[in-house]
Amino acid sequence: WGGVADQSIMMIRNIRRSMVEYHDILWDIGYAKTWEDASLNLQNLYSEAPPIEDFWAWRDMRVMEECHWYGWFIDYWMEGGLMRDIFTHKITTPEHWEMLMQPTIFTRAELQYDRVVGDKVVTESYDPHCINGDVSGGCKPIAVISAEKLRDFNDGPEETAFIANVLKNDNRIGKYVIAPEAWNCIWKELIQRGKGLPTVYQRPGFVEDDYNFSREMLEEMVKELDRLIGKYGGSAWNSKPTANRIVKLLKVHLALIQRELGDVISGRRKLTSKDFLGPEERRRLQVKEKEETGNSTAAWKDKENKDSTEYFNDLEHKAQAAKRKKRRDARVKERVDKRREARKLEQNRTRVEDDASPVKDGETRALVANKTKVEDGVSQVKHDESHKTDIDMPKRKRMMQ
């Protein structure tokens, strides 16, 4: 988070298309669970299409939950970080929230609302990031933009101008926004000509419509979109421009998904093993193929006794190993650098001492010579005093007598 943001702009994408690319990206980065792990595989983004059978089965289990995450994301920002449960969308406690923010530590069963919160009286709590100044203007978005419109060759320039005007109308940064004459040029360079960072369109052989979704998954998406449209189209929200934009965009998405759902139900859209099927639909089609052919292809093999996340767990272990190696290499390099620096200092010290040796030798000889002279002088004084004492001795004896 840091502490440098002043406002937020929320981008919304079609829930169906989000599910496709979200899971493909997870495949690219080896199912990383932290930003640090993901950064180790960023060079793999959009480099190839994921054809792995284990990926399809793992994805089936995830999409049903991700539909709820999609709606939760919109609620989180629109409500300024209000703490809600992801799966029931109920207002939740800070304790439950902290657990939800660590999904890699707790299982879905351990995160269940009834298990953690139960019948407790819950008061509204907000994410500290949204109320402690990390975003000085708060987390509620000042505008909502469409990912589909931004990349559409007809609507793209208009959506780009919408983003630019949001920035230009801010009295803190408006003066830094480039002239409107350049906005369309930037959009063409980035979207039409594909310059800049790689995007989903650079994925080899990628066509979003190549993936189909099963009836149960499409129905889950319709359910979540109906909830969001009903909420943000209601009297508590319909006076806000951001809420109205959300409703307008989601209604278009809903119509597309309902049309696809009709095609799946009627059989006009045929499902295959590589599609987003969901656990129930995958099992149903597997049984159907067995009944019709007396056998099932490798793509429909029963996975009940196999952990379908095995492939991604293996990738995760590889990512962890790569991270450990990176840290180990950094520690080794640090030790080598320290030893090299120590040797350099020692060599410099030895060189200085060598350069000073002639001077030290001269000084030593002078000191020895002076010491000899002093010692010789002292010896002469002692001799003179001893001789004087011997001469005066008879005189002393006479005086004593």
Side-chain angles (χ1 to χ4, degrees):
W1 282 80
V4 296
D6 295 308
Q7 57 194 16
S8 68
I9 297 175
M10 181 166 64
M11 177 179 285
I12 288 182
R13 196 174 187 219
N14 184 313
I15 186 173
R16 182 223 193 267
R17 294 178 177 176
S18 295
M19 294 302 136
V20 174
E21 191 51 29
Y22 169 71
H23 290 85
D24 283 0
I25 288 175
L26 280 184
W27 187 87
D28 291 338
I29 61 177
Y31 186 37
K33 296 179 181 178
T34 67
W35 171 253
E36 185 179 18
D37 292 345
S39 64
L40 296 173
N41 293 297
L42 288 181
Q43 72 279 2
N44 297 331
L45 281 177
Y46 312 117
S47 60
E48 58 181 324
I52 308 301
E53 177 189 344
D54 281 336
F55 166 72
W56 298 332
W58 170 84
R59 182 186 59 189
D60 287 348
M61 296 187 299
R62 292 282 299 181
V63 169
M64 304 298 283
E65 294 183 1
E66 292 299 334
C67 289
H68 297 284
W69 277 93
Y70 178 91
W72 175 89
F73 169 86
I74 294 175
D75 286 340
Y76 172 86
W77 290 100
M78 288 297 291
E79 296 178 321
L82 179 62
M83 295 182 180
R84 287 188 179 275
D85 176 39
I86 294 162
F87 307 107
T88 65
H89 301 298
K90 295 179 180 178
I91 296 173
T92 193
T93 63
E95 294 76 19
H96 187 215
W97 170 268
E98 289 299 324
M99 295 174 66
L100 290 168
M101 294 301 101
Q102 304 177 73
T104 61
I105 296 177
F106 300 97
T107 65
R108 172 67 187 277
E110 292 172 328
L111 294 172
Q112 285 184 353
Y113 187 89
D114 291 339
R115 178 174 180 174
V116 180
V117 181
D119 56 359
K120 293 178 184 177
V121 176
V122 180
T123 57
E124 290 186 353
S125 300
Y126 290 83
D127 185 347
H129 287 301
C130 295
I131 59 177
N132 290 345
D134 288 353
V135 182
S136 62
C139 287
K140 293 181 180 179
I142 61 171
V144 175
I145 59 178
S146 166
E148 277 75 26
K149 287 183 176 295
L150 187 61
R151 299 194 312 191
D152 184 85
F153 282 11
N154 294 318
D155 297 331
E158 183 180 350
E159 197 71 9
T160 300
F162 176 69
I163 298 171
N165 280 313
V166 169
L167 300 176
K168 192 173 181 63
N169 291 335
D170 188 294
N171 55 18
R172 294 163 297 185
I173 61 175
K175 61 183 178 181
Y176 301 109
V177 177
I178 60 176
E181 292 79 12
W183 297 351
N184 194 46
C185 175
I186 290 176
W187 176 83
K188 285 182 177 179
E189 292 295 307
L190 293 176
I191 304 300
Q192 284 190 334
R193 298 179 182 175
K195 294 185 179 180
L197 296 174
T199 69
V200 59
Y201 289 134
Q202 273 75 58
R203 188 183 295 281
F206 174 78
V207 179
E208 284 181 327
D209 291 337
D210 284 349
Y211 289 103
N212 290 318
F213 286 80
S214 68
R215 175 175 179 172
E216 63 179 312
M217 286 190 170
L218 293 171
E219 286 176 342
E220 194 70 24
M221 295 179 197
V222 168
K223 180 180 177 182
E224 187 61 21
L225 291 179
D226 279 338
R227 182 189 75 83
L228 291 168
I229 291 170
K231 176 177 180 175
Y232 293 105
S235 58
W237 288 94
N238 60 16
S239 62
K240 300 179 183 296
T242 50
N244 292 335
R245 187 88 199 278
I246 287 174
V247 171
K248 183 177 181 180
L249 293 174
L250 295 187
K251 282 184 175 179
V252 174
H253 302 168
L254 177 61
L256 293 172
I257 293 172
Q258 286 176 327
R259 187 184 309 160
E260 182 177 347
L261 177 59
D263 290 343
V264 171
I265 293 174
S266 67
R268 289 190 298 271
R269 187 182 287 257
K270 301 294 184 182
L271 301 177
T272 69
S273 60
K274 72 176 183 179
D275 292 326
F276 286 74
L277 298 178
E280 295 300 324
E281 185 68 16
R282 190 170 289 276
R283 281 193 291 268
R284 188 186 71 78
L285 290 180
Q286 179 187 354
V287 171
K288 179 180 178 182
E289 181 177 322
K290 253 184 176 178
E291 292 175 348
E292 293 176 351
T293 65
N295 194 9
S296 64
T297 62
W300 299 105
K301 285 185 179 178
D302 187 4
K303 296 180 178 60
E304 291 182 0
N305 297 322
K306 178 182 178 181
D307 181 3
S308 59
T309 64
E310 178 182 348
Y311 175 77
F312 286 90
N313 286 336
D314 181 57
L315 283 180
E316 181 184 358
H317 294 154
K318 289 180 180 178
Q320 292 289 342
K323 182 171 68 172
R324 287 193 297 270
K325 183 179 184 302
K326 184 178 180 181
R327 289 175 176 171
R328 185 168 58 251
D329 291 345
R331 289 195 297 269
V332 170
K333 184 178 183 301
E334 182 180 4
R335 289 196 296 268
V336 170
D337 290 344
K338 284 183 177 179
R339 287 197 295 268
R340 185 179 292 116
E341 185 65 23
R343 285 196 299 270
K344 186 177 179 181
L345 290 173
E346 183 63 28
Q347 290 170 354
N348 290 339
R349 186 161 47 245
T350 302
R351 190 177 298 114
V352 170
E353 291 175 350
D354 291 343
D355 292 342
S357 294
V359 176
K360 289 186 176 180
D361 290 345
E363 291 176 349
T364 301
R365 286 193 294 271
L367 289 172
V368 170
N370 289 337
K371 182 179 179 184
T372 302
K373 289 180 182 179
V374 172
E375 289 176 347
D376 290 344
V378 172
S379 298
Q380 182 63 40
V381 171
K382 287 184 177 180
H383 173 73
D384 292 345
E385 289 180 350
S386 176
H387 179 67
K388 183 179 179 182
T389 302
D390 292 342
I391 295 173
D392 290 344
M393 184 60 69
K395 185 177 179 180
R396 284 182 189 174
K397 286 183 177 179
R398 288 195 296 269
M399 288 178 65
M400 289 176 68
Q401 290 175 351

